[in-house]
Amino acid sequence: MGRKNKHKQKSQSTKASAVPETKELPKSAKKEIQDHVKSLLEKCSQPPSTGAREFEEFLEIRELIENIRKLQTDQCLPPTRRPEAFPAFISWLQGHSVSTEKIRLHEFEGYGYGLQATAELKEGDMFLAVPRKTMMTAASAQSTVLSQLILEDKILQVMPSVALALHLLCEKRSQDSPWKPYIDTLPEEYSTPLYFTVEDLEYLKGSPALSDCISQYRNIARQYAYFYRLLQNETPATTCLPIKDCFIYDDYRWAVSTVMTRQNQIPTPDGSKMTFALIPLWDMCNHCNGLITTDFSLEKDCSECFALRDFQKDEQIFIFYGARSNAELLVHNGFVYPENEHDRIAIKLGISKEDPLFQLKSELLTRCGLITSRTFYLHTGSIPVDSDLIIFLRIFCMDEENLRRYFSTADASELRQTLGDLEKYVSIETEEKAWSFLETRAKLLLKAYVTSIQEDEELLKTNSLSQNATLAVKLRCCEKGILQLVVEYASTRMKSLQSQS
């Protein structure tokens, strides 16, 4: 799913019959890796820092990872050529009762591979049905060589997406995986931040997404170190795994990125709960604005996808991934969508405990279902603020008289509705303070970026950036656009208030 598979394929290809044997590392290399893994686990298990130190810690963790990667170079599998794997994949799908009559695989400029309509589709037409038996799921992992490890390991029990990633890795390294035709069609690498260079990430300085990228990198590094050490144990749960002696970081990064960018939730066979799944062919659909039109039929035991709008013959078929910000799309899906109707930027706000009215403000926020310090969001569109942010700003700027007046409101839902209504004023003075504060804060956030939106737009025209750096610049363009919108909106609100006073 998503524009995350545009990397050019290398010239080598694997034999279709079997996975090549992995070269065994010298004892000295194994010892070095073990030492790096130990340091990695220790460093990643410490509470993360903030501010400038956060990036410094990231560089230290990255250096350990790069040392591990260099030592593991000879254990990497040869690259595959996706296009050459497509015919066998389609035959495999058809053998599992998946109809490809209405669609074909096609490479689209700017998107990578996607699904193309072979005939006209009307909105609501079902164009793809994929049975559960073709899917790799957190549940199917429990019927493989991973079953005992899942039963024993608490992390795999509470993090099904991690279990699915290890499931994928085991099948990729297996000699006779039933999912081989599907696995061979997966991208060789992704454009998630796990693949960003340090230079790519530096383009995100000033963006709240930088912390999200660093946090993700840190978490995956910690997971890798944890499972590497776990696989060194000689237990019945680990000795049978095909990844035991070749659990390399590049493989784990690839598997995690595959799951992050392509997974979907489906119900278990009895419908009692949801589980994660990789859905072959459906996961080739790219994203656009719209509504979610994928459902799962328990009766047919298959995932069904319906056209979210009319599509003409030979047109690319898009689906809607969900209401995600561009920062979320970049971190978890590896692309940025400038036309995103659900885009937003995170803003952290809090009330100081040194504020003499802290207690009153805290209690009033609690009655509205909010806390004194949290992340809020500024949105794209004509109204960039939501009710939560409006409530917080008003309470943040209230004087004692107004705090006590609103605190006397008996009904909490009425209080929240009143304070979150844009058309209702606490007082002219409070409103002016609230919008002035938001305008100033948005301007400060804009100054945190090292470039202006105009400079970014010119930079994108040069075509001098790497693919991942381009994504970073596109993201910060979108974020700056939202912040500029907030500045203009707050200024307009203040002018309106001043005309009334």
Side-chain angles (χ1 to χ4, degrees):
M1 295 167 64
R3 286 170 282 184
K4 56 204 175 303
N5 50 16
K6 297 180 286 184
H7 293 272
K8 298 295 182 183
Q9 300 299 312
K10 298 182 176 66
S11 59
Q12 296 171 275
S13 63
T14 58
K15 293 181 180 180
S17 58
V19 177
E21 289 187 11
T22 303
K23 182 178 179 180
E24 186 174 354
L25 292 177
K27 289 184 178 179
S28 58
K30 290 181 180 179
K31 179 63 169 60
E32 279 190 74
I33 292 174
Q34 288 169 1
D35 290 343
H36 290 319
V37 164
K38 180 181 178 182
S39 299
L40 189 63
L41 194 57
E42 290 173 353
K43 192 169 287 292
C44 291
S45 297
Q46 296 170 1
S49 298
T50 57
R53 180 59 186 152
E54 178 186 45
F55 200 79
E56 292 172 7
E57 281 185 359
F58 159 72
L59 293 177
E60 293 168 4
I61 292 169
R62 186 180 178 89
E63 183 178 7
L64 289 169
I65 287 292
E66 290 305 307
N67 288 337
I68 291 170
R69 291 184 65 219
K70 287 176 185 176
L71 291 165
Q72 294 175 333
T73 300
D74 290 341
Q75 289 195 300
C76 294
L77 288 173
T80 57
R81 289 183 60 85
R82 297 180 75 197
E84 293 179 5
F86 288 157
F89 174 53
I90 296 301
S91 296
W92 177 77
L93 288 170
Q94 292 170 344
H96 285 82
S97 305
V98 177
S99 173
T100 57
E101 181 182 348
K102 298 179 180 179
I103 54 177
R104 68 167 68 94
L105 287 169
H106 187 74
E107 189 170 12
F108 297 91
E109 184 177 355
Y111 290 89
Y113 289 100
L115 296 188
Q116 184 181 49
T118 58
E120 182 181 355
L121 291 174
K122 294 294 185 182
E123 181 179 347
D125 285 353
M126 186 172 71
F127 64 87
L128 181 62
V130 183
R132 186 192 301 272
K133 61 186 177 182
T134 67
M135 302 177 192
M136 297 187 72
T137 69
S140 69
Q142 297 177 19
S143 61
T144 68
V145 290
L146 268 175
S147 59
Q148 189 60 38
L149 188 61
I150 294 173
L151 286 173
E152 296 176 5
D153 188 76
K154 291 183 179 179
I155 290 182
L156 294 179
Q157 291 168 17
V158 299
M159 298 181 69
S161 60
V162 175
L164 184 53
L166 290 182
H167 180 23
L168 176 61
L169 268 188
C170 285
E171 296 303 320
K172 184 178 177 67
R173 289 278 181 173
S174 173
Q175 297 291 333
D176 55 356
S177 171
W179 289 282
K180 178 176 170 52
Y182 167 59
I183 294 172
D184 286 348
T185 67
L186 293 171
E188 183 184 321
E189 57 184 51
Y190 293 86
S191 51
T192 61
L194 293 177
Y195 286 85
F196 279 30
T197 64
V198 173
E199 292 73 24
D200 293 334
L201 278 178
E202 285 178 339
Y203 283 100
L204 285 175
K205 285 188 174 178
S207 168
L210 178 59
S211 285
D212 296 334
C213 294
I214 290 174
S215 177
Q216 182 192 72
Y217 190 93
R218 182 191 186 100
N219 288 339
I220 300 310
R222 183 174 64 247
Q223 288 175 20
Y224 174 75
Y226 170 82
F227 285 113
Y228 183 92
R229 296 186 72 178
L230 183 66
L231 290 171
Q232 301 308 301
N233 298 332
E234 294 293 335
T235 67
T238 60
T239 52
C240 61
L241 300 180
I243 59 173
K244 176 173 173 53
D245 297 321
C246 54
F247 185 61
I248 66 176
Y249 175 81
D250 278 8
D251 274 2
Y252 190 66
R253 175 178 63 171
W254 172 83
V256 166
S257 292
T258 299
V259 171
M260 276 196 308
T261 60
R262 309 177 93 81
Q263 71 181 357
N264 193 33
Q265 284 193 313
I266 64 170
T268 53
D270 62 3
S272 62
K273 58 183 179 180
M274 303 299 287
T275 187
F276 289 108
L278 294 175
I279 307 177
L281 193 59
W282 174 85
D283 62 7
M284 298 290 285
C285 290
N286 289 308
H287 168 81
C288 74
N289 291 316
L291 299 172
I292 292 177
T293 54
T294 300
D295 200 2
F296 194 92
S297 170
L298 280 173
E299 182 182 353
K300 300 176 185 176
D301 202 29
C302 71
S303 174
E304 298 177 330
C305 197
F306 304 86
L308 58 75
R309 61 170 173 81
D310 292 351
F311 291 99
Q312 299 302 312
K313 182 179 182 295
D314 296 331
E315 188 178 358
Q316 181 174 187
I317 302 171
F318 293 96
I319 63 173
F320 177 59
Y321 289 8
R324 303 173 188 174
S325 69
N326 273 321
E328 291 168 323
L329 288 174
L330 176 62
V331 173
H332 301 293
N333 295 85
F335 69 93
V336 174
Y337 185 56
E339 300 81 20
N340 189 356
E341 295 174 352
H342 300 277
D343 201 10
R344 60 183 187 175
I345 182 172
I347 175 172
K348 294 181 179 179
L349 298 175
I351 298 174
S352 170
K353 291 185 178 180
E354 303 302 317
D355 187 329
L357 298 175
F358 176 82
Q359 193 60 38
L360 273 174
K361 291 178 180 180
S362 175
E363 291 177 9
L364 194 55
L365 283 168
T366 299
R367 291 193 61 201
C368 292
L370 301 175
I371 56 178
T372 56
S373 180
R374 54 160 277 191
T375 296
F376 294 89
Y377 293 95
L378 303 171
H379 304 263
T380 191
S382 58
I383 302 178
V385 292
D386 55 30
S387 59
D388 279 358
L389 180 55
I390 295 166
I391 292 169
F392 180 88
L393 290 173
R394 284 173 169 168
I395 293 176
F396 177 77
C397 295
M398 278 187 201
D399 57 21
E400 184 172 357
E401 180 183 349
N402 279 309
L403 285 168
R404 295 193 181 280
R405 176 164 65 90
Y406 280 95
F407 197 78
S408 64
T409 304
D411 188 278
S413 61
E414 180 186 343
L415 173 66
R416 179 178 171 83
Q417 185 176 2
T418 300
L419 289 178
D421 191 337
L422 266 175
E423 305 307 316
K424 294 181 180 178
Y425 294 167
V426 172
S427 68
I428 296 293
E429 182 183 7
T430 301
E431 297 299 310
E432 286 182 338
K433 286 182 179 179
W435 292 112
S436 176
F437 173 83
L438 185 61
E439 180 188 37
T440 301
R441 190 58 179 269
K443 286 180 177 179
L444 288 173
L445 291 173
L446 277 169
K447 287 182 179 179
Y449 296 92
V450 295
T451 58
S452 67
I453 191 169
Q454 292 77 17
E455 289 171 326
D456 285 347
E457 289 171 348
E458 289 301 316
L459 183 59
L460 289 171
K461 291 177 183 178
T462 65
N463 294 319
S464 62
L465 302 172
S466 69
Q467 175 183 310
N468 293 337
T470 298
L471 292 176
V473 175
K474 283 184 177 180
L475 175 64
R476 72 189 193 191
C477 270
C478 293
E479 291 176 340
K480 291 171 191 176
I482 294 174
L483 290 172
Q484 287 185 348
L485 178 64
V486 170
V487 169
E488 294 165 6
Y489 186 80
S491 176
T492 300
R493 297 286 300 194
M494 285 191 291
K495 287 177 183 177
S496 177
L497 289 165
Q498 289 164 3
S499 68
Q500 298 175 42
S501 59

